[in-house]
Amino acid sequence: MSRNRTYEGGGPSQRQLRVGELIRRALSEVLARGDVHDPDLNRMSITVGEVRTSPDLKIATAYVLPLGGKGQEDVLKLLSRNKAELRRVVASKLALKFAPDLRFQLDETFDRLDDTRRMFEQDAVRRDIED
């Protein structure tokens, strides 16, 4: 019986998750160590919360947030401006066949977490949970 080589599940495959985590670690290390030749980018502390890859692993979307949440638009501009160098440095740290194209978006996980906490603090919601 032949194996089905295509992934048709609803979420990312194990390979996408594994490669995304490798890229996240490498990107975090590069940004923390200041391996980029842009002094503006090296001055900022940037958290890489998650990296999601496309099914063919050629596009990697990194969800980033500056420390303290200030200057979010500046961070996206700086990362986009240095995208080629970041791609080269990350690719040199990983053993992938193709270096993925890096894309950057703001990580809104913490905002959603705060909204969830506020929702659970409401009396009506607390009453429903306790019953």
Side-chain angles (χ1 to χ4, degrees):
M1 183 175 254
S2 67
R3 289 176 58 181
N4 184 1
R5 298 233 179 231
T6 60
Y7 178 76
E8 297 185 19
S13 67
Q14 286 296 316
R15 185 172 184 214
Q16 284 176 273
L17 293 172
R18 187 179 71 243
V19 171
E21 181 61 19
L22 290 172
I23 294 169
R24 186 194 69 78
R25 287 181 186 177
L27 189 58
S28 294
E29 182 182 325
V30 167
L31 293 172
R33 292 180 57 195
D35 290 344
V36 181
H37 294 94
D38 187 345
D40 294 331
L41 187 59
N42 289 336
R43 271 189 237 118
M44 302 188 95
S45 294
I46 301 170
T47 301
V48 182
E50 180 183 10
V51 174
R52 294 182 188 167
T53 59
S54 63
D56 62 358
L57 305 177
K58 293 200 178 191
I59 298 172
T61 304
Y63 293 89
V64 297
L65 189 67
L67 192 64
K70 296 181 182 175
Q72 296 177 357
E73 295 303 319
D74 295 336
V75 166
L76 289 179
K77 287 178 188 174
L78 288 170
L79 289 170
S80 294
R81 185 170 72 195
N82 294 290
K83 178 165 84 166
E85 185 176 1
L86 286 168
R87 179 183 185 186
R88 182 184 51 78
V89 174
V90 167
S92 69
K93 294 183 178 294
L94 303 176
L96 297 175
K97 188 172 184 178
F98 297 103
D101 181 34
L102 296 176
R103 298 182 182 171
F104 301 98
Q105 289 188 0
L106 289 176
D107 189 358
E108 297 175 351
T109 306
F110 297 109
D111 295 336
R112 282 188 249 136
L113 185 64
D114 290 339
D115 292 341
T116 304
R117 281 189 188 132
R118 278 193 290 275
M119 184 180 67
F120 281 127
E121 289 174 358
Q122 295 175 0
D123 290 333
V125 174
R126 232 189 271 153
R127 185 176 52 241
D128 289 342
I129 291 173
E130 292 173 359
D131 289 341

